Each structure stands twice: as structure tokens, then as C-alpha cells.
Amino acid sequence: MLTMINFAESDSRVAQLADLFHLLGDPTRLRIVLACLETPIAVSEIAGALQLSSSLVSHHLRLLRAARIVKAERHGKQVFYSAADAHISGVLTDMLEHIAEPTTGNET
């Protein structure tokens, strides 16, 4: 288990991590990924729920798939998207819990 990154030997890993956070830093892409957390969901359902065009959702999903943030599974003519793995779900779930915590006023 990786607990601490050795920054001297892992410039490429840090760059990869920065790229992932950059992709997730876009509010539209983040909303799309969050829509994929609970259950596999089709592009049209994501587009409807987020009030976006299907083509825009598809564009973002291509980027997210290439970064292994989401995965796709075809069922007949439809493609359903979900979080790529438990790591992605866990990070986002943890961060959502973090921002939902009340502040104590002692943070500096």
C-alpha cells in the first residue's frame, strides 16, 4: 500500500495525479462523475439529470474514460458509465463527506 510518495523518484506519478485532479476540477466533469457513482448510467440519463446536451456529456466522458476515472459497459445499443473502480468512488465520497463536516472555527 502506498502511504507516502517519494517525490524525488515519482515526478511522473505526481504529474499523473495532477492531471486527474485537473480533469476533476472542471465542475461539469465532476458532476458527470458524481452522477456515475451510485449505479451505471446512460449518457442520455446523465444529460437529462444535469441539463446538458448529450454531445457535451459524451465529450467529457471520453476524457474521463481515457483517464480511467469512469468505465463504460455496453448493453445492447446503450452504453452505461460508472466509476472506474473503488478508488475513484472512495476519493470522491471521502471528499464529499469532508466538505459536509461542520467547521469548528479552529482551522488556521
Side-chain angles (χ1 to χ4, degrees):
M1 177 180 212
L2 180 65
T3 56
M4 187 66 141
I5 295 176
N6 180 344
F7 293 102
E9 68 177 68
S10 62
D11 286 345
S12 68
R13 288 175 113 177
V14 171
Q16 288 175 323
L17 187 58
D19 287 343
L20 286 177
F21 281 117
H22 178 75
L23 282 170
L24 292 172
D26 178 88
T28 300
R29 279 193 290 269
L30 183 56
R31 290 172 60 216
I32 290 169
V33 175
L34 292 172
C36 297
L37 288 184
E38 289 186 28
T39 185
I41 186 169
V43 172
S44 59
E45 292 177 76
I46 297 169
L50 302 180
Q51 298 180 350
L52 301 168
S53 71
S54 291
S55 61
L56 180 62
V57 171
S58 293
H59 168 73
H60 285 301
L61 284 167
R62 273 191 297 279
L63 297 172
L64 294 166
R65 253 182 96 186
R68 298 182 314 147
I69 295 172
V70 298
K71 63 182 178 181
E73 192 172 315
R74 182 173 292 281
H75 292 277
K77 292 184 177 185
Q78 281 196 307
V79 179
F80 291 85
Y81 291 86
S82 59
D85 56 35
H87 298 114
I88 298 297
S89 298
V91 166
L92 293 174
T93 301
D94 287 348
M95 293 309 294
L96 286 168
E97 289 174 8
H98 173 72
I99 63 170
E101 291 176 353
T103 59
T104 61
N106 295 331
E107 294 82 14
T108 52

XYZ file of all heavy atoms in Angstrom:
823
model
N 0.839 -1.177 0.000
C 0.000 0.000 0.000
C 0.888 1.244 0.000
O 1.825 1.358 0.757
C -0.906 -0.029 1.227
C -1.767 1.191 1.346
S -2.796 1.060 2.814
C -4.185 1.932 2.235
N 0.560 2.174 -0.849
C 1.318 3.414 -0.952
C 0.814 4.384 0.110
O -0.342 4.774 0.114
C 1.137 4.013 -2.345
C 1.861 5.307 -2.641
C 3.366 5.081 -2.598
C 1.443 5.840 -3.986
N 1.678 4.745 1.037
C 1.264 5.679 2.082
C 1.878 7.049 1.880
O 1.307 8.043 2.238
C 1.633 5.160 3.478
O 3.035 4.904 3.505
C 0.863 3.899 3.806
N 3.076 7.094 1.314
C 3.747 8.374 1.092
C 4.480 8.283 -0.236
O 5.160 7.303 -0.495
C 4.731 8.638 2.231
C 5.343 9.987 2.175
S 4.100 11.241 2.457
C 5.018 12.343 3.436
N 4.332 9.288 -1.052
C 5.009 9.305 -2.340
C 6.411 9.856 -2.151
O 6.600 10.888 -1.519
C 4.228 10.163 -3.356
C 2.879 9.522 -3.638
C 5.015 10.338 -4.631
C 2.008 10.336 -4.549
N 7.374 9.162 -2.704
C 8.745 9.664 -2.704
C 8.855 10.624 -3.882
O 8.960 10.219 -5.025
C 9.733 8.509 -2.839
C 11.172 8.965 -2.839
O 11.458 10.144 -3.026
N 12.068 8.031 -2.636
N 8.814 11.902 -3.589
C 8.751 12.915 -4.642
C 9.992 12.938 -5.517
O 9.936 13.342 -6.662
C 8.488 14.292 -4.042
C 7.129 14.387 -3.430
C 6.963 14.301 -2.066
C 6.009 14.518 -4.225
C 5.701 14.361 -1.506
C 4.744 14.592 -3.671
C 4.593 14.509 -2.309
N 11.119 12.501 -5.010
C 12.339 12.509 -5.799
C 12.280 11.498 -6.939
O 12.873 11.716 -7.981
C 13.541 12.207 -4.897
N 11.569 10.423 -6.756
C 11.535 9.388 -7.788
C 10.213 9.306 -8.544
O 10.055 8.479 -9.414
C 11.843 8.018 -7.171
C 10.751 7.528 -6.238
C 11.023 6.156 -5.687
O 11.959 6.026 -4.892
O 10.296 5.227 -6.081
N 9.269 10.165 -8.227
C 7.936 9.962 -8.784
C 7.366 11.187 -9.494
O 6.182 11.435 -9.413
C 6.999 9.518 -7.677
O 6.919 10.532 -6.698
N 8.199 11.931 -10.192
C 7.692 13.098 -10.909
C 6.568 12.724 -11.868
O 5.593 13.462 -11.991
C 8.815 13.794 -11.678
C 9.757 14.558 -10.767
O 9.403 14.788 -9.590
O 10.852 14.915 -11.231
N 6.682 11.578 -12.520
C 5.632 11.188 -13.470
C 4.342 10.844 -12.736
O 3.258 11.142 -13.225
C 6.080 10.014 -14.330
O 6.218 8.842 -13.557
N 4.442 10.251 -11.558
C 3.241 9.937 -10.778
C 2.564 11.215 -10.293
O 1.341 11.323 -10.303
C 3.590 9.052 -9.590
C 3.938 7.644 -9.994
C 4.371 6.892 -8.805
N 3.384 5.863 -8.544
C 3.504 4.979 -7.585
N 4.531 5.016 -6.774
N 2.594 4.058 -7.415
N 3.349 12.173 -9.867
C 2.789 13.449 -9.423
C 2.101 14.145 -10.596
O 1.013 14.698 -10.457
C 3.877 14.338 -8.781
C 3.358 15.738 -8.520
C 4.377 13.708 -7.485
N 2.712 14.088 -11.767
C 2.111 14.689 -12.959
C 0.802 13.988 -13.316
O -0.186 14.656 -13.672
C 3.085 14.640 -14.131
N 0.776 12.666 -13.223
C -0.457 11.923 -13.495
C -1.552 12.300 -12.506
O -2.711 12.490 -12.886
C -0.209 10.414 -13.434
C 0.581 9.873 -14.585
C 0.884 8.395 -14.395
O 1.145 7.935 -13.284
N 0.845 7.648 -15.481
N -1.192 12.410 -11.243
C -2.159 12.787 -10.219
C -2.684 14.203 -10.461
O -3.885 14.457 -10.353
C -1.517 12.678 -8.833
C -2.425 12.864 -7.634
C -3.571 11.867 -7.641
C -1.617 12.743 -6.352
N -1.800 15.107 -10.830
C -2.215 16.480 -11.136
C -3.182 16.489 -12.318
O -4.167 17.244 -12.311
C -0.994 17.351 -11.424
N -2.919 15.659 -13.325
C -3.820 15.570 -14.472
C -5.209 15.089 -14.045
O -6.228 15.599 -14.526
C -3.254 14.644 -15.545
C -2.081 15.250 -16.287
O -1.885 16.486 -16.219
O -1.342 14.478 -16.943
N -5.245 14.092 -13.150
C -6.537 13.597 -12.669
C -7.300 14.695 -11.933
O -8.497 14.900 -12.160
C -6.345 12.401 -11.736
C -5.967 11.083 -12.385
C -5.733 10.017 -11.322
C -7.027 10.627 -13.359
N -6.602 15.406 -11.051
C -7.268 16.480 -10.319
C -7.687 17.610 -11.261
O -8.727 18.244 -11.049
C -6.388 17.014 -9.186
C -6.403 16.125 -7.976
C -5.241 15.509 -7.543
C -7.574 15.906 -7.262
C -5.262 14.690 -6.414
C -7.596 15.093 -6.134
C -6.435 14.482 -5.715
N -6.906 17.849 -12.301
C -7.278 18.865 -13.284
C -8.588 18.467 -13.969
O -9.492 19.302 -14.135
C -6.160 19.053 -14.310
C -6.496 20.035 -15.373
N -6.496 21.400 -15.164
C -6.866 19.856 -16.667
C -6.848 22.005 -16.279
N -7.083 21.097 -17.206
N -8.694 17.205 -14.375
C -9.929 16.739 -15.013
C -11.110 16.866 -14.065
O -12.195 17.304 -14.456
C -9.784 15.285 -15.464
C -9.008 15.049 -16.743
C -8.740 13.566 -16.938
C -9.762 15.610 -17.937
N -10.913 16.481 -12.817
C -11.998 16.542 -11.843
C -12.255 17.958 -11.345
O -13.274 18.216 -10.710
C -11.687 15.616 -10.660
C -11.703 14.130 -10.989
C -11.202 13.317 -9.801
C -13.080 13.672 -11.430
N -11.350 18.881 -11.634
C -11.519 20.270 -11.225
C -12.535 21.024 -12.061
O -12.986 22.101 -11.671
N -12.913 20.467 -13.184
C -13.942 21.082 -14.023
C -15.309 20.721 -13.428
O -15.628 19.534 -13.298
C -13.830 20.559 -15.459
C -14.904 21.130 -16.350
O -14.672 22.205 -16.921
O -15.982 20.498 -16.460
N -16.122 21.718 -13.059
C -17.412 21.412 -12.413
C -18.328 20.503 -13.233
O -18.993 19.635 -12.669
C -18.042 22.794 -12.207
C -16.890 23.738 -12.170
C -15.868 23.158 -13.116
N -18.351 20.673 -14.540
C -19.211 19.827 -15.367
C -18.741 18.381 -15.325
O -19.540 17.456 -15.131
C -19.250 20.340 -16.823
O -19.766 21.672 -16.815
C -20.113 19.448 -17.703
N -17.441 18.169 -15.492
C -16.921 16.797 -15.447
C -17.128 16.186 -14.073
O -17.489 15.009 -13.959
C -15.440 16.768 -15.826
C -15.220 16.809 -17.323
C -13.798 16.461 -17.693
N -12.856 17.485 -17.313
C -12.488 18.499 -18.090
N -12.976 18.610 -19.311
N -11.625 19.386 -17.663
N -16.935 16.967 -13.023
C -17.128 16.437 -11.672
C -18.581 16.028 -11.461
O -18.862 14.967 -10.905
C -16.691 17.466 -10.631
C -16.774 17.015 -9.175
C -15.969 15.739 -8.931
C -16.283 18.125 -8.263
N -19.505 16.843 -11.929
C -20.924 16.492 -11.809
C -21.240 15.212 -12.574
O -22.034 14.379 -12.112
C -21.800 17.651 -12.316
C -21.756 18.851 -11.378
C -22.459 20.084 -11.941
N -23.867 19.823 -12.199
C -24.539 20.329 -13.229
N -23.945 21.134 -14.087
N -25.810 20.064 -13.388
N -20.616 15.039 -13.728
C -20.820 13.826 -14.519
C -20.304 12.610 -13.762
O -20.980 11.579 -13.670
C -20.155 13.953 -15.910
C -20.926 14.972 -16.761
C -20.082 12.599 -16.611
C -20.223 15.388 -18.044
N -19.110 12.715 -13.197
C -18.549 11.591 -12.436
C -19.429 11.282 -11.225
O -19.716 10.118 -10.940
C -17.094 11.865 -11.995
C -16.575 10.744 -11.108
C -16.198 12.028 -13.206
N -19.876 12.314 -10.529
C -20.744 12.091 -9.371
C -22.042 11.390 -9.770
O -22.559 10.563 -9.022
C -21.037 13.416 -8.665
C -19.843 14.063 -7.968
C -20.201 15.464 -7.464
C -19.311 13.198 -6.840
N -22.535 11.684 -10.964
C -23.750 11.022 -11.454
C -23.508 9.534 -11.717
O -24.449 8.739 -11.699
C -24.244 11.704 -12.737
N -22.260 9.168 -11.926
C -21.901 7.779 -12.242
C -21.536 6.948 -11.014
O -21.226 5.765 -11.142
C -20.717 7.755 -13.207
S -21.015 8.501 -14.809
N -21.550 7.540 -9.834
C -21.067 6.833 -8.643
C -21.986 5.726 -8.153
O -21.524 4.655 -7.786
C -20.802 7.818 -7.499
C -19.589 8.721 -7.624
C -19.435 9.552 -6.348
C -18.327 7.939 -7.907
N -23.272 5.984 -8.088
C -24.174 5.038 -7.440
C -24.503 3.827 -8.287
O -24.520 2.710 -7.793
C -25.457 5.741 -7.018
C -25.239 6.691 -5.856
C -26.543 7.269 -5.346
O -27.583 6.616 -5.470
O -26.490 8.393 -4.823
N -24.778 4.051 -9.547
C -25.197 2.964 -10.424
C -24.799 3.307 -11.850
O -24.703 4.500 -12.195
C -26.727 2.745 -10.312
O -27.108 1.625 -11.085
C -27.495 3.962 -10.765
N -24.553 2.316 -12.691
C -24.257 2.631 -14.097
C -25.396 3.446 -14.713
O -26.570 3.191 -14.438
C -24.138 1.250 -14.747
C -23.732 0.345 -13.623
C -24.461 0.882 -12.417
N -25.005 4.426 -15.517
C -25.991 5.373 -16.045
C -25.658 5.689 -17.501
O -24.491 5.783 -17.877
C -26.030 6.648 -15.162
C -27.134 7.598 -15.587
C -24.681 7.321 -15.090
C -27.389 8.727 -14.585
N -26.697 5.828 -18.321
C -26.535 6.104 -19.750
C -26.299 7.599 -19.984
O -26.671 8.440 -19.159
C -27.776 5.659 -20.513
N -25.690 7.911 -21.108
C -25.398 9.300 -21.478
C -26.670 10.142 -21.457
O -26.677 11.249 -20.911
C -24.724 9.373 -22.871
C -24.604 10.805 -23.346
C -23.371 8.701 -22.841
N -27.740 9.619 -22.016
C -28.980 10.393 -22.076
C -29.525 10.694 -20.681
O -30.074 11.775 -20.439
C -30.031 9.653 -22.903
O -30.306 8.382 -22.335
N -29.359 9.759 -19.753
C -29.811 9.990 -18.376
C -28.952 11.046 -17.683
O -29.478 11.898 -16.954
C -29.762 8.698 -17.571
C -30.763 7.653 -18.011
C -30.596 6.370 -17.222
O -31.026 6.351 -16.044
O -30.022 5.414 -17.766
N -27.645 10.990 -17.914
C -26.747 11.994 -17.346
C -27.109 13.369 -17.900
O -27.251 14.340 -17.160
C -25.271 11.670 -17.647
C -24.863 10.354 -17.006
C -24.361 12.803 -17.168
C -23.503 9.832 -17.469
N -27.263 13.429 -19.221
C -27.577 14.701 -19.881
C -28.886 15.283 -19.334
O -28.966 16.482 -19.030
C -27.661 14.501 -21.389
N -29.897 14.449 -19.177
C -31.174 14.921 -18.667
C -31.082 15.386 -17.221
O -31.603 16.448 -16.872
N -30.403 14.613 -16.403
C -30.294 14.955 -14.981
C -29.503 16.239 -14.759
O -29.809 17.012 -13.855
C -29.644 13.803 -14.221
N -28.488 16.460 -15.589
C -27.625 17.631 -15.415
C -27.983 18.789 -16.336
O -27.311 19.821 -16.336
C -26.155 17.231 -15.622
C -25.629 16.130 -14.697
C -24.176 15.834 -14.999
C -25.811 16.505 -13.245
N -29.023 18.594 -17.144
C -29.471 19.602 -18.101
C -28.342 20.032 -19.031
O -28.058 21.221 -19.214
C -30.095 20.796 -17.380
C -31.305 20.417 -16.585
C -31.940 21.585 -15.858
O -31.385 22.670 -15.780
N -33.130 21.367 -15.322
N -27.686 19.025 -19.630
C -26.609 19.241 -20.589
C -26.951 18.511 -21.879
O -27.787 17.608 -21.884
C -25.282 18.681 -20.032
C -24.777 19.255 -18.720
C -23.638 18.408 -18.180
C -24.339 20.697 -18.911
N -26.295 18.877 -22.953
C -26.514 18.158 -24.203
C -25.799 16.811 -24.136
O -24.760 16.667 -23.482
C -26.001 18.964 -25.399
O -24.582 18.999 -25.387
N -26.356 15.831 -24.830
C -25.729 14.504 -24.874
C -24.345 14.565 -25.496
O -23.439 13.842 -25.072
C -26.607 13.527 -25.660
O -27.786 13.251 -24.937
N -24.161 15.440 -26.486
C -22.847 15.526 -27.125
C -21.800 16.087 -26.160
O -20.654 15.629 -26.139
C -22.902 16.366 -28.405
O -23.299 17.684 -28.127
N -22.179 17.064 -25.325
C -21.243 17.599 -24.331
C -20.903 16.539 -23.297
O -19.737 16.358 -22.938
C -21.830 18.836 -23.645
C -20.944 19.483 -22.573
C -19.627 19.978 -23.187
C -21.676 20.610 -21.884
N -21.902 15.804 -22.832
C -21.666 14.737 -21.864
C -20.746 13.680 -22.474
O -19.791 13.229 -21.836
C -23.001 14.113 -21.382
C -22.758 12.862 -20.552
C -23.804 15.141 -20.589
N -21.005 13.300 -23.709
C -20.163 12.299 -24.383
C -18.724 12.770 -24.504
O -17.779 11.985 -24.306
C -20.713 11.975 -25.770
O -21.948 11.321 -25.665
N -18.537 14.045 -24.827
C -17.185 14.608 -24.928
C -16.453 14.476 -23.595
O -15.310 14.011 -23.529
C -17.256 16.076 -25.355
C -15.960 16.801 -25.213
N -14.893 16.597 -26.067
C -15.549 17.702 -24.293
C -13.873 17.349 -25.668
N -14.251 18.038 -24.599
N -17.101 14.883 -22.513
C -16.474 14.796 -21.196
C -16.231 13.345 -20.800
O -15.189 13.022 -20.212
C -17.326 15.497 -20.144
C -17.254 16.989 -20.219
N -16.081 17.697 -20.089
C -18.223 17.920 -20.408
C -16.318 18.986 -20.183
N -17.613 19.151 -20.392
N -17.160 12.461 -21.114
C -16.989 11.051 -20.775
C -15.799 10.438 -21.507
O -15.105 9.586 -20.952
C -18.263 10.265 -21.063
C -19.387 10.468 -20.054
C -20.694 9.905 -20.584
C -19.034 9.849 -18.707
N -15.544 10.867 -22.735
C -14.359 10.366 -23.460
C -13.080 10.730 -22.711
O -12.176 9.903 -22.553
C -14.313 10.943 -24.875
C -15.080 10.135 -25.892
C -14.795 10.581 -27.328
N -15.212 11.949 -27.600
C -16.456 12.325 -27.881
N -17.403 11.418 -27.926
N -16.735 13.585 -28.117
N -13.006 11.970 -22.230
C -11.837 12.404 -21.461
C -11.717 11.627 -20.156
O -10.620 11.192 -19.771
C -11.927 13.900 -21.161
C -11.912 14.857 -22.350
C -12.196 16.274 -21.894
C -10.592 14.769 -23.085
N -12.836 11.443 -19.485
C -12.836 10.734 -18.209
C -12.499 9.258 -18.375
O -11.828 8.666 -17.527
C -14.195 10.912 -17.516
C -14.516 12.336 -17.078
C -16.001 12.472 -16.734
C -13.637 12.759 -15.908
N -12.944 8.675 -19.468
C -12.598 7.271 -19.756
C -11.120 7.125 -20.048
O -10.474 6.195 -19.574
C -13.392 6.771 -20.966
C -14.476 5.817 -20.604
C -15.173 5.329 -21.829
N -14.598 4.056 -22.217
C -14.914 3.425 -23.313
N -15.781 3.940 -24.158
N -14.375 2.263 -23.588
N -10.580 8.042 -20.826
C -9.155 7.985 -21.172
C -8.285 8.092 -19.920
O -7.199 7.495 -19.859
C -8.807 9.102 -22.159
N -8.770 8.801 -18.917
C -8.031 8.965 -17.664
C -8.356 7.859 -16.655
O -7.875 7.896 -15.536
C -8.348 10.328 -17.051
N -9.183 6.913 -17.039
C -9.593 5.783 -16.198
C -10.342 6.234 -14.942
O -10.240 5.636 -13.890
C -8.405 4.898 -15.815
C -7.729 4.279 -17.007
C -6.577 3.373 -16.644
N -5.716 4.008 -15.657
C -5.057 3.337 -14.717
N -5.123 2.041 -14.638
N -4.292 3.984 -13.849
N -11.110 7.300 -15.089
C -11.941 7.785 -13.993
C -13.323 7.127 -14.058
O -13.918 6.808 -13.038
C -12.051 9.326 -14.024
C -10.656 9.934 -13.759
C -13.070 9.829 -13.011
C -10.582 11.427 -13.960
N -13.819 6.918 -15.276
C -15.062 6.177 -15.480
C -14.791 5.025 -16.439
O -13.804 5.026 -17.171
C -16.211 7.065 -16.037
C -16.570 8.175 -15.071
C -15.889 7.606 -17.408
N -15.690 4.054 -16.391
C -15.615 2.942 -17.335
C -16.966 2.822 -18.028
O -17.984 3.307 -17.521
C -15.252 1.640 -16.626
C -16.273 1.171 -15.616
C -15.831 -0.096 -14.920
C -16.879 -0.488 -13.871
N -16.493 -1.690 -13.157
N -16.949 2.203 -19.188
C -18.160 2.054 -19.984
C -18.485 0.580 -20.166
O -17.585 -0.253 -20.286
C -17.967 2.706 -21.349
N -19.772 0.293 -20.180
C -20.232 -1.072 -20.417
C -21.430 -1.006 -21.349
O -22.397 -0.297 -21.070
C -20.619 -1.717 -19.086
C -20.840 -3.200 -19.190
C -21.040 -3.822 -17.818
O -20.270 -3.493 -16.893
O -21.981 -4.629 -17.689
N -21.336 -1.716 -22.453
C -22.403 -1.697 -23.447
C -23.461 -2.749 -23.113
O -23.146 -3.884 -22.804
C -21.833 -1.959 -24.836
C -22.869 -1.918 -25.946
C -22.246 -2.008 -27.317
N -21.470 -0.831 -27.653
C -21.987 0.323 -28.080
N -23.295 0.440 -28.216
N -21.219 1.331 -28.379
N -24.723 -2.322 -23.178
C -25.873 -3.211 -23.035
C -26.762 -2.946 -24.235
O -27.466 -1.934 -24.271
C -26.647 -2.936 -21.742
C -25.894 -3.293 -20.504
N -25.843 -4.572 -20.007
C -25.133 -2.544 -19.675
C -25.106 -4.589 -18.915
N -24.655 -3.366 -18.695
N -26.691 -3.821 -25.214
C -27.444 -3.599 -26.447
C -26.907 -2.384 -27.164
O -25.713 -2.269 -27.433
N -27.777 -1.425 -27.440
C -27.369 -0.207 -28.146
C -26.909 0.896 -27.204
O -26.370 1.897 -27.649
C -28.523 0.320 -29.007
C -28.865 -0.581 -30.167
C -29.938 0.029 -31.023
C -30.221 -0.859 -32.214
N -31.176 -0.250 -33.123
N -27.146 0.731 -25.916
C -26.792 1.783 -24.963
C -25.480 1.471 -24.253
O -25.141 0.317 -24.020
C -27.889 1.970 -23.921
C -29.059 2.786 -24.416
C -29.891 3.258 -23.251
O -30.300 2.471 -22.419
N -30.154 4.555 -23.204
N -24.778 2.540 -23.902
C -23.554 2.434 -23.126
C -23.823 3.047 -21.765
O -24.359 4.149 -21.668
C -22.379 3.164 -23.819
C -21.111 3.061 -22.985
C -22.150 2.586 -25.211
N -23.473 2.308 -20.736
C -23.665 2.771 -19.368
C -22.307 3.053 -18.741
O -21.355 2.295 -18.916
C -24.420 1.718 -18.546
C -25.842 1.560 -18.975
C -26.183 0.716 -20.024
C -26.852 2.268 -18.351
C -27.492 0.574 -20.433
C -28.171 2.140 -18.751
C -28.493 1.292 -19.794
N -22.241 4.140 -18.010
C -20.988 4.583 -17.398
C -21.086 4.473 -15.887
O -22.144 4.702 -15.299
C -20.692 6.030 -17.800
C -20.348 6.150 -19.256
C -21.347 6.298 -20.216
C -19.028 6.069 -19.688
C -21.039 6.383 -21.559
C -18.713 6.156 -21.033
C -19.721 6.303 -21.958
O -19.407 6.371 -23.291
N -19.948 4.130 -15.283
C -19.851 4.070 -13.827
C -18.434 4.448 -13.431
O -17.535 4.521 -14.278
C -20.212 2.672 -13.322
O -19.346 1.704 -13.890
N -18.234 4.676 -12.135
C -16.883 4.971 -11.647
C -15.980 3.800 -12.007
O -16.389 2.640 -11.953
C -16.908 5.196 -10.145
N -14.754 4.104 -12.388
C -13.841 3.074 -12.878
C -13.538 2.016 -11.828
O -13.394 0.840 -12.158
C -12.552 3.703 -13.378
N -13.438 2.421 -10.580
C -13.140 1.458 -9.523
C -13.448 2.061 -8.159
O -13.880 3.208 -8.057
C -11.689 0.976 -9.597
C -10.667 2.096 -9.540
O -10.908 3.094 -8.836
O -9.624 1.979 -10.209
N -13.199 1.274 -7.136
C -13.498 1.710 -5.767
C -12.620 2.885 -5.342
O -13.025 3.672 -4.484
C -13.327 0.541 -4.803
N -11.438 3.032 -5.942
C -10.574 4.152 -5.586
C -11.237 5.479 -5.941
O -11.260 6.416 -5.129
C -9.216 4.064 -6.295
C -8.445 2.857 -5.935
N -8.156 1.862 -6.833
C -7.892 2.469 -4.762
C -7.467 0.922 -6.231
N -7.297 1.255 -4.970
N -11.776 5.555 -7.136
C -12.433 6.787 -7.590
C -13.641 7.076 -6.705
O -13.810 8.190 -6.208
C -12.853 6.675 -9.075
C -11.634 6.483 -9.989
C -13.690 7.879 -9.495
C -10.663 7.635 -9.991
N -14.474 6.068 -6.494
C -15.656 6.250 -5.642
C -15.254 6.665 -4.243
O -15.858 7.574 -3.660
C -16.458 4.943 -5.560
O -16.916 4.566 -6.820
N -14.239 6.026 -3.700
C -13.798 6.317 -2.348
C -13.276 7.729 -2.182
O -13.624 8.425 -1.220
N -12.445 8.165 -3.115
C -11.885 9.523 -3.034
C -13.000 10.553 -3.079
O -13.043 11.471 -2.254
C -10.871 9.775 -4.174
C -10.552 11.247 -4.318
C -9.602 8.975 -3.939
N -13.914 10.402 -4.015
C -14.986 11.389 -4.143
C -15.949 11.342 -2.961
O -16.375 12.385 -2.465
C -15.720 11.205 -5.465
C -14.877 11.536 -6.696
C -15.627 11.201 -7.967
C -14.443 12.984 -6.689
N -16.265 10.151 -2.491
C -17.138 10.021 -1.330
C -16.483 10.645 -0.106
O -17.132 11.385 0.651
C -17.480 8.541 -1.073
O -18.132 8.019 -2.231
C -18.384 8.375 0.130
N -15.199 10.368 0.091
C -14.481 10.959 1.223
C -14.454 12.477 1.142
O -14.641 13.167 2.151
C -13.040 10.432 1.293
C -12.956 8.993 1.776
O -13.981 8.456 2.270
O -11.867 8.399 1.654
N -14.225 13.008 -0.039
C -14.170 14.465 -0.189
C -15.549 15.093 0.029
O -15.653 16.178 0.612
C -13.601 14.855 -1.552
C -12.129 14.489 -1.719
S -11.053 15.051 -0.373
C -11.154 16.814 -0.565
N -16.605 14.432 -0.426
C -17.959 14.940 -0.169
C -18.254 14.958 1.323
O -18.842 15.910 1.842
C -19.003 14.095 -0.911
C -19.080 14.319 -2.416
C -19.930 13.236 -3.066
C -19.624 15.696 -2.733
N -17.835 13.899 2.030
C -18.011 13.873 3.483
C -17.187 14.971 4.145
O -17.638 15.605 5.097
C -17.610 12.505 4.039
C -18.578 11.402 3.682
C -18.109 10.026 4.109
O -17.081 9.925 4.830
O -18.762 9.047 3.725
N -15.996 15.203 3.637
C -15.115 16.229 4.200
C -15.760 17.621 4.115
O -15.776 18.367 5.097
C -13.770 16.216 3.477
C -12.863 17.338 3.873
N -12.233 17.380 5.094
C -12.506 18.466 3.218
C -11.513 18.488 5.172
N -11.660 19.161 4.042
N -16.298 17.960 2.955
C -16.884 19.295 2.815
C -18.207 19.428 3.547
O -18.636 20.537 3.849
C -17.036 19.733 1.336
C -17.988 18.817 0.586
C -15.690 19.800 0.653
C -18.362 19.325 -0.786
N -18.845 18.295 3.869
C -20.108 18.336 4.600
C -19.891 18.497 6.106
O -20.825 18.867 6.829
C -20.908 17.066 4.338
N -18.670 18.256 6.582
C -18.386 18.391 8.013
C -18.489 19.853 8.423
O -18.008 20.742 7.723
C -16.977 17.889 8.325
C -16.801 16.413 8.188
C -15.360 15.976 8.418
O -14.457 16.835 8.551
O -15.135 14.760 8.450
N -19.083 20.074 9.573
C -19.136 21.475 10.055
C -17.753 21.941 10.456
O -16.924 21.156 10.915
C -20.060 21.392 11.266
C -20.070 19.955 11.680
C -19.741 19.141 10.457
N -17.510 23.205 10.254
C -16.220 23.761 10.676
C -16.303 24.098 12.150
O -17.356 24.466 12.673
C -15.858 25.020 9.866
O -16.891 25.988 10.061
C -15.726 24.696 8.399
N -15.167 23.968 12.811
C -15.134 24.234 14.251
C -14.680 25.653 14.553
O -14.765 26.086 15.686
C -14.181 23.260 14.954
O -12.868 23.447 14.425
C -14.629 21.831 14.758
N -14.181 26.334 13.557
C -13.682 27.686 13.768
C -12.237 27.708 14.249
O -11.665 28.757 14.417
N -11.651 26.509 14.471
C -10.268 26.429 14.938
C -9.288 26.194 13.800
O -8.096 26.052 14.039
C -10.108 25.289 15.957
C -10.897 25.563 17.229
O -11.096 26.714 17.592
N -11.317 24.506 17.900
N -9.768 26.137 12.575
C -8.891 25.902 11.433
C -8.070 27.159 11.163
O -8.579 28.263 11.175
C -9.682 25.538 10.170
C -10.396 24.209 10.259
C -11.739 24.276 10.984
O -12.248 25.396 11.200
O -12.259 23.225 11.340
N -6.786 26.946 10.923
C -5.928 28.076 10.577
C -5.057 27.715 9.420
O -4.826 26.617 9.110
C -5.036 28.504 11.756
O -4.348 27.379 12.251
C -5.848 29.169 12.816
